[in-house]
Amino acid sequence: MKATVLYGPRDVRYEEVPEPKILKPTDVIIKLSATCVCGSDLWPYRGANAITEPMHMGHEYCGVVVEAGSGVKTVKVGQFVVGSFCISDNTCPHCNFGFQSSCEQREFMTGAQAPLARVPLADGTLVATSVMPPDDLIPSLLAASDVLGTGWYAADAARVQPGSTVAVVGDGAVGLMGVLAAKQMGAARIIAMSRHKTRQDLALEYGATDIVAARGDAGIAEIKRLTKNVGADAVLECVGTQESMSQALQSARPGATIGYVGVPHGVTFDGQQLFFAQRGLMGGPAPVRRFLPHLIDLVLARKINPGKVFDMQIPIKDVAEGYKAMDERRAIKALLRV
Ligand SMILES: [Zn+2]
């Protein structure tokens, strides 16, 4: 089969690779219904992470189980499944505590930008739907696998409550999902920081009440003005740069928590500043598995439409164009049809 392989900065190819096989009894093979390009795929694509050997890309997935290892107990061949980008057993102490993304057996999913993929620890990682979902819900179910689950975690980690005032730093796909999550959690006011018209419009559709286009000190001043000089009750940091983290910390009120889900690149903290700031930080790779059953229910009941974040849908053979469009910010997120 053909699959997506990254060779170096801006060198992504759709080329012949061996088909995935069951390697352990707890593995399954799924036939992807759709897959997509993640904002985090852009870090290696842009050369921010060293690429020592060709990387099999893709960690967001949903599809139908076509083969199951002998040790797989709950997931069945023929079922439609959604899984997390973090592989987890869902039985260890960290999984039981709701942090499946720190599972004792954690692995990160790879190789999902392909027609077929191997999913390890299938019983712990995958959630099967009770029925075969209609085609028009595939983008939203795919979103649950990472981008929605991550935006949801950002809001959960930031302790968004009914009535909260929430600030969202970052208008990428995860930031937009953070807006959607905050709305679902009952936030009264959601301030989305965005400078791009199409992203502002989607943020408003997902529940943002205010848009702040300014950045840096001007952006912080604007949030202070909107919150009567108090700051936001909860802040979602969905970028991962020093600038965005600083923006998030200074947009939060004392006692607030910043849920940060942008993978930090070059972000540092000053211990004493953090001490006197009195802001909490909770982040990391999202324990998407914790949220999946609820998110799948919301999608199947058509209460949320996270699939709208895919503003580009292309055949998987054109995957290189998907990376390029996201890199150049021509697309928010590219769905790959398989
Ligand atoms: Zn575990």
Side-chain angles (χ1 to χ4, degrees):
M1 69 169 190
K2 287 192 169 181
T4 307
V5 184
L6 182 69
Y7 277 82
R10 293 186 170 76
D11 182 5
V12 62
R13 305 178 201 171
Y14 192 62
E15 63 172 27
E16 202 61 35
V17 302
E19 278 198 14
K21 288 191 176 66
I22 301 274
L23 300 179
K24 289 185 184 167
T26 46
D27 293 350
V28 298
I29 305 295
I30 63 166
K31 181 177 185 298
L32 281 282
S33 297
T35 182
C36 54
V37 182
C38 183
S40 68
D41 292 333
L42 295 181
W43 290 112
Y45 180 78
R46 287 169 172 161
N49 305 348
I51 299 161
T52 49
E53 56 183 28
M55 292 168 66
H56 287 242
M57 302 299 287
H59 56 260
E60 297 169 89
Y61 57 97
C62 63
V64 176
V65 177
V66 291
E67 193 184 348
S70 58
V72 177
K73 294 188 175 73
T74 56
V75 176
K76 306 274 183 257
V77 169
Q79 279 183 323
F80 183 90
V81 292
V82 186
S84 165
F85 66 94
C86 273
I87 304 300
S88 60
D89 55 22
N90 213 25
T91 55
C92 78
H94 305 316
C95 285
N96 286 334
F97 201 57
F99 283 79
Q100 289 89 342
S101 43
S102 282
C103 177
E104 288 177 350
Q105 301 196 63
R106 178 178 72 182
E107 291 175 49
F108 289 100
M109 182 70 184
T110 56
Q113 285 164 7
L116 295 167
R118 179 178 80 96
V119 184
L121 296 176
D123 286 329
T125 302
L126 298 171
V127 175
T129 57
S130 51
V131 292
M132 196 56 67
D135 280 351
D136 68 311
L137 291 183
I138 296 295
S140 287
L141 291 164
L142 174 63
S145 176
D146 178 355
V147 64
L148 171 60
T150 296
W152 198 274
Y153 172 58
D156 180 85
R159 299 185 302 169
V160 173
Q161 306 290 326
S164 291
T165 293
V166 179
V168 180
V169 181
D171 64 358
V174 170
L176 293 166
M177 295 294 102
V179 170
L180 180 158
K183 173 75 179 172
Q184 287 292 315
M185 292 177 193
R189 196 163 192 197
I190 304 169
I191 305 165
M193 305 199 70
S194 172
R195 293 196 292 200
H196 304 84
K197 179 73 170 73
T198 52
R199 294 165 190 240
Q200 292 174 351
D201 289 346
L202 200 46
L204 291 168
E205 192 176 329
Y206 280 143
T209 54
D210 302 84
I211 300 287
V212 169
R215 286 192 187 179
D217 290 343
I220 293 158
E222 185 69 8
I223 286 186
K224 285 281 162 67
R225 189 185 66 76
L226 289 168
T227 57
K228 298 191 168 66
N229 222 28
V230 172
D233 303 326
V235 180
L236 283 54
E237 192 286 313
C238 308
V239 183
T241 62
Q242 183 74 57
E243 187 196 11
S244 61
M245 184 58 83
S246 166
Q247 182 95 62
L249 275 165
Q250 294 182 73
S251 300
R253 68 188 294 171
T257 300
I258 289 100
Y260 68 110
V261 294
V263 182
H265 281 72
V267 177
T268 56
F269 299 100
D270 178 280
Q272 209 172 84
Q273 263 180 20
L274 206 53
F275 178 84
F276 285 104
Q278 288 199 293
R279 272 78 156 170
L281 290 166
M282 183 68 210
V288 172
R289 180 63 184 79
R290 188 204 320 169
F291 309 118
L292 267 181
H294 181 51
L295 299 179
I296 290 171
D297 283 350
L298 288 173
V299 169
L300 293 178
R302 298 183 186 270
K303 288 184 177 154
I304 56 172
N305 186 12
K308 236 189 143 177
V309 79
F310 295 108
D311 57 344
M312 179 182 209
Q313 298 205 9
I314 52 175
I316 192 168
K317 69 178 173 57
D318 298 331
V319 59
E321 172 53 21
Y323 275 79
K324 195 161 185 286
M326 283 174 62
D327 179 39
E328 294 168 2
R329 293 180 74 89
R330 282 184 283 117
I332 299 171
K333 193 165 174 71
L335 180 140
L336 308 170
R337 289 195 301 267
V338 290

